[in-house]
Every structure is written in structure tokens, then in C-alpha cells.
Amino acid sequence: MTTTTLPIEPLTASEVDLLLLACSKRAPSGLRDRALIGLLYGSGLRIAEALALVRRDIDLVTGQVTVRRGKGGKRRVSALSVAGVSLLEAWLTRRTKLGAKRSQPVFCQIQTGKVGEPIAQSNVRQMLARRTAKAGLDKRVHAHGFRHSHAAELARKGTPMNYIQKQLGHSNLAVTSRYVDHLNPA
């Protein structure tokens, strides 16, 4: 059996905006999905890191997210975009009204009787497929792709490689350099 490796296609800011527009600004699921997309794109977190966040891990005032157990069990603090903070703020307000506890995952189920329970990565894949279709995007959109998009955007803006390394939680600069070079082939 032959496996095909698809090329990495980072999303542009306008494509992310289309995905956000495909999510309701009022329904709990739309607010949650908007916040998750905003967090992934605006911070470069891995999906497992994002789904493991609890309320104490997010500082809306400083715009920082604490990953307590990243890849390799490492702890790190990542910056969050201003837009990501705004989206998270809206979701956290609604999440509280739904009855989710601070100790439960930030990105949780919202169905009656399940409020606050964790959501699975497979649910995120399904959500992204629905939002991508609704947005009319002709790209493969997946959770890890937001990490690629975040790194590509930082590199495009001329962000120093050591900052990108810290933001992504890479153990050494060579890994980050290869990662960014792979996203922006010459």
C-alpha cells in the first residue's frame, strides 16, 4: 500500500477569516469553534495541547496561554493574537453560562448532560470539515495546519526564528528552521 504525502498548504489570514465567518457568532457551538480556530491559528498550539487547556491556563489580560504538558511533557507559555483573545473571551463567557466548571477543558462538549466533558480530536476534524465546506475553501483544512499557518505567518512578518521556536515549543532552532523552510519552499 502506497501512502501519499500531501503538500503543506498554510492558510492565509483571509482563509481563516472565511472559516470564522462559517461559525455562528451567537450559537454556543459557533462560539466554541470560532475560539478554537482563533486559538490554533493565533498561537500555534498543537490540537492535543489546545484540547487539554483548562481555564487557569489562559490569561486574557496578558494574551498568554500556558501549555502544561506539551510534546515531550514540556511546559511552555505561548502568546496569543489579539483576535484570538477576543474570540476566547466570548467563548469563555458563554461556556460559564452553560455551566462548565473552571477545572473542565476549555473546549468542551455543550450538549445537555455532557456540558464540560472533553471533546475528541475526531470531533474537531469533523467540525473543521463542516466549516471548510461552508466557507467554500478548496484546501485541506486540519488542526495541525493552523500550526503551520501560524509559523508561516510569523516568518512572513520577519519574526526572529528564536521567537518562532519558543512559540511552537521546539527543542532546538534547527528544528524550527527546517519547519519554516518546509512551509515556504523557494
Side-chain angles (χ1 to χ4, degrees):
M1 181 170 143
T2 306
T3 58
T4 304
T5 302
L6 298 172
I8 295 173
E9 295 181 288
L11 296 168
T12 64
S14 60
E15 289 169 330
V16 173
D17 287 343
L18 288 173
L19 281 171
L20 293 172
L21 287 171
C23 303
S24 171
K25 291 182 182 178
R26 292 186 302 199
S29 61
L31 290 171
R32 180 195 59 206
D33 296 350
R34 287 170 61 84
L36 181 57
I37 290 168
L39 174 85
L40 293 171
Y41 179 70
S43 68
L45 265 61
R46 296 172 182 90
I47 186 62
E49 295 168 342
L51 294 180
L53 294 173
V54 292
R55 182 61 188 91
R56 70 177 181 178
D57 298 330
I58 298 171
D59 187 334
L60 296 172
V61 175
T62 63
Q64 294 182 322
V65 178
T66 300
V67 174
R68 297 197 185 280
R69 289 188 50 90
K71 190 172 183 178
K74 295 178 190 161
R75 183 182 201 276
R76 77 174 189 282
V77 176
S78 291
L80 183 60
S81 69
V82 173
V85 168
S86 177
L87 294 168
L88 270 169
E89 197 166 34
W91 165 239
L92 291 171
T93 299
R94 178 62 66 88
R95 181 185 173 280
T96 299
K97 289 178 183 174
L98 291 170
K101 297 178 179 104
R102 288 182 62 86
S103 61
Q104 293 176 307
V106 168
F107 299 102
C108 58
Q109 294 188 45
I110 55 175
Q111 301 93 327
T112 303
K114 293 188 175 191
V115 172
E117 291 183 17
I119 57 175
Q121 290 185 30
S122 60
N123 295 110
V124 175
R125 279 193 296 276
Q126 292 166 2
M127 175 275 288
L128 288 174
R130 286 191 314 274
R131 301 299 186 193
T132 300
K134 187 173 181 182
L137 293 177
D138 192 27
K139 268 188 179 175
R140 180 174 169 258
V141 177
H142 53 98
H144 198 76
F146 290 106
R147 185 171 166 82
H148 295 159
S149 302
H150 180 70
E153 181 68 12
L154 290 176
R156 186 190 66 73
K157 289 180 176 177
T159 304
M161 199 62 68
N162 62 329
Y163 176 84
I164 298 172
Q165 173 192 2
K166 182 179 180 219
Q167 186 73 1
L168 297 178
H170 288 156
S171 56
N172 70 51
L173 200 54
V175 170
T176 306
S177 183
R178 281 193 311 273
Y179 193 91
V180 170
D181 287 347
H182 187 64
L183 294 173
N184 301 306

